[in-house]
Amino acid sequence: MPPRRAPLVACVIATVLLGASPLGATTSARSFAMPRSASAVVHALASTQVTRAADGPHADSLCWERDYSDAPGDAPIDATSYRLTYDCQSLTWRLAVSLTAPVQPAAFDSLAIEIDTDNDPGNGCVGFDVLAAGVFGPNNVPKGVLVATPTCDPNTWTTVGPAGFSAYGSGKELALSFSEHALADAPRLIWNAGVVPRDPEQPVDSLPDQGVVVAGEFLPATSAHDGYWLVDSAGGVHAYGNAGFHGDLGGHTLAQPIVSMARRTDRDGYWLLGRDGGVFTFGDAHFYGSTGALRLNRPVVSMAATSNCGGYWFVAADGGIFSFGNAHFYGSTGALHLNRPVVSMAATPTGRGYWLVASDGGIFAFGDAHFYGSTGALHLNRPIVGMEPTPSGHGYWLIASDGGIFAFGDAHFYGSTGGIHLVSPIVGMRRSPTGKGYRFVAADGGIFGFGDAAFLGGLGGGRPPSPIVAMG
């Protein structure tokens, strides 16, 4: 019998970058608990269950991922790596396994995941309440099933939901996926997993990090409105976490590249802004006007929406302000000589004011926006590229292209990439919903999270067709 769960020891998920809060924890090693005598029951349940493939992860909405390397030669069906992912938009878990050789259905019993949904080691089968399994049925057709395991006696097991199971990559890749809802939306999940051979005398190739907590702090965080969009210069939108995709400009020819975006406060839509002041609306975001048909002294560089989403401003590089809908004009720097061009703007929480920031970190406050400090008198290693206010509006962060952070007012410092060599420059930032963390995005789509801002996905591993220009 495996040992009772030991106290949790914090670990770092492979894709969480540079100081983001740990989202998982490991326990002491726990052997695979599923009785080998249960094989026939699992196959029978998978065969009788009317299965439908669970939605797989979407390329642009993965919000949690963890990779495991597995030592070679430790089992007859030998895995080289495991990847566990969670898709926030489809609420789908997926375990993918890479094998050293193509799977042979005659020697394969199942890809199985034991799941403890209530953190009680005294119930279920050695504490595990649910078994997810992928098997090969008649004619070697892949089938998946979720099974309730109230005890270790397979005669007590029942089907609780479908699962998707597939073999691909010439049979060297296996994947098992299923809905979070099938786990009764449990807030905390502890997993064991393994590739089980048909011969009960042969060892199971188990997930290297046995007894891993995969969703302690994670699921509650993603059930909140935590997510973000990345927009590229061609108008492509990439949605992560709980940020829904409402459309983009992919496939359209633009007169000028996209330079900024703003989102509705209810997250049900967004605006994209072109360099010429052209405005493009998606979801519930309404069009209130643009400068697309006007000749501008300087190109526009940034936009912000009012608090009730009934209007928006955008700002040009000379600090000229253009207001539309119920966005009121509170002042500008359009008539002033600036040391450096304006690069970004942000609205106050009330919508009755805004800040402008120049590339040297000079701050210009209008309406009910207060001045809390700037870097205008400092020598910067790299120019400022964006700003983000705190939830209270009593402070703000400035971010430079090297990821250096400058915090003013009630904005706290949670970390930066100022001392790290970056492949691509930072182009924007977004605070977490709580204001106790923030994320940066680089031009290649790489994401850096600090404080309580978790990594929810990014494009850093594969460059976007066009450079990322903004984060919403």
Side-chain angles (χ1 to χ4, degrees):
M1 296 287 284
R4 183 179 176 87
R5 221 168 269 120
L8 301 180
V9 179
C11 69
V12 179
I13 294 171
T15 54
V16 178
L17 302 178
L18 302 173
S21 300
L23 302 182
T26 57
T27 73
S28 60
R30 302 172 66 187
S31 59
F32 201 71
M34 185 180 80
R36 301 301 292 276
S37 61
S39 176
V41 171
V42 172
H43 278 254
L45 291 172
S47 296
T48 57
Q49 169 70 13
V50 178
T51 62
R52 61 170 178 76
D55 292 336
H58 303 293
D60 286 343
S61 64
L62 287 180
C63 56
W64 189 85
E65 177 179 279
R66 187 170 180 182
D67 292 292
Y68 308 82
S69 297
D70 190 58
D74 57 350
I77 304 178
D78 195 15
T80 59
S81 64
Y82 293 79
R83 170 170 288 182
L84 179 61
T85 56
Y86 182 74
D87 183 308
C88 283
Q89 293 191 19
S90 64
L91 304 180
T92 301
W93 290 101
R94 183 174 189 266
L95 179 70
V97 182
S98 297
L99 305 175
T100 57
V103 65
Q104 301 297 321
F108 173 88
D109 182 82
S110 59
L111 173 60
I113 307 171
E114 303 169 324
I115 309 170
D116 179 354
T117 61
D118 59 10
N119 195 31
D120 184 353
N123 63 11
C125 180
V126 198
F128 295 105
D129 315 293
V130 177
L131 173 71
V135 302
F136 289 103
N139 300 316
N140 293 331
V141 175
K143 294 179 178 292
V145 66
L146 279 169
V147 176
T149 57
T151 72
C152 286
D153 180 358
N155 293 319
T156 66
W157 295 3
T158 56
T159 299
V160 295
F165 178 59
S166 60
Y168 54 100
S170 301
K172 295 179 68 174
E173 309 287 335
L174 306 176
L176 181 61
S177 59
F178 51 88
S179 170
E180 162 66 19
H181 292 316
L183 305 178
D185 299 305
R188 195 161 186 260
L189 304 174
I190 298 175
W191 295 39
N192 272 342
V195 183
V196 184
R198 183 69 59 88
D199 184 350
E201 300 300 321
Q202 296 287 345
V204 173
D205 192 317
S206 296
L207 190 74
D209 191 1
Q210 293 181 329
V212 62
V213 177
V214 296
E217 302 169 13
F218 167 66
L219 284 181
T222 55
S223 66
H225 285 304
D226 196 10
Y228 47 83
W229 296 271
L230 309 181
V231 60
D232 61 46
S233 62
V237 173
H238 312 269
Y240 299 90
N242 288 341
F245 177 78
H246 301 290
D248 66 7
L249 295 170
H252 293 267
T253 300
L254 303 179
Q256 292 289 328
I258 297 300
V259 295
S260 184
M261 81 175 300
R263 64 186 189 183
R264 286 179 55 91
T265 52
D266 61 8
R267 303 162 57 85
D268 287 337
Y270 41 78
W271 297 268
L272 304 185
L273 176 68
R275 190 170 181 265
D276 58 357
V279 172
F280 306 89
T281 63
F282 300 91
D284 290 342
H286 296 289
F287 178 79
Y288 298 106
S290 75
T291 61
L294 301 180
R295 183 179 182 276
L296 303 177
N297 293 328
R298 298 294 299 275
V300 297
V301 294
S302 183
M303 77 180 302
T306 59
S307 55
N308 65 0
C309 306
Y312 44 74
W313 303 270
F314 35 86
V315 62
D318 60 359
I321 288 286
F322 303 90
S323 55
F324 301 91
N326 67 359
H328 295 287
F329 177 81
Y330 296 105
S332 76
T333 62
L336 301 179
H337 173 72
L338 302 179
N339 293 328
R340 293 289 186 271
V342 169
V343 294
S344 186
M345 75 175 298
T348 63
T350 65
R352 294 193 292 270
Y354 43 76
W355 296 273
L356 311 182
V357 61
S359 63
D360 61 357
I363 290 286
F364 306 92
F366 300 94
D368 67 355
H370 293 285
F371 177 81
Y372 296 104
S374 76
T375 62
L378 301 179
H379 172 73
L380 302 178
N381 293 328
R382 292 291 185 271
I384 298 297
V385 294
M387 75 176 299
E388 182 77 358
T390 61
S392 69
H394 299 312
Y396 41 75
W397 294 275
L398 308 183
I399 185 170
S401 64
D402 61 356
I405 281 284
F406 305 90
F408 300 94
D410 65 356
H412 295 284
F413 177 80
Y414 296 104
S416 76
T417 61
I420 297 173
H421 173 72
L422 301 178
V423 176
S424 294
I426 299 299
V427 295
M429 74 176 295
R430 175 67 65 175
R431 66 169 172 82
S432 69
T434 64
K436 297 179 180 178
Y438 39 71
R439 303 178 181 94
F440 312 159
V441 62
D444 65 354
I447 299 292
F448 306 88
F450 300 89
D452 68 354
F455 174 82
L456 305 180
L459 296 168
R463 291 180 178 273
S466 300
I468 298 298
V469 295
M471 187 176 203

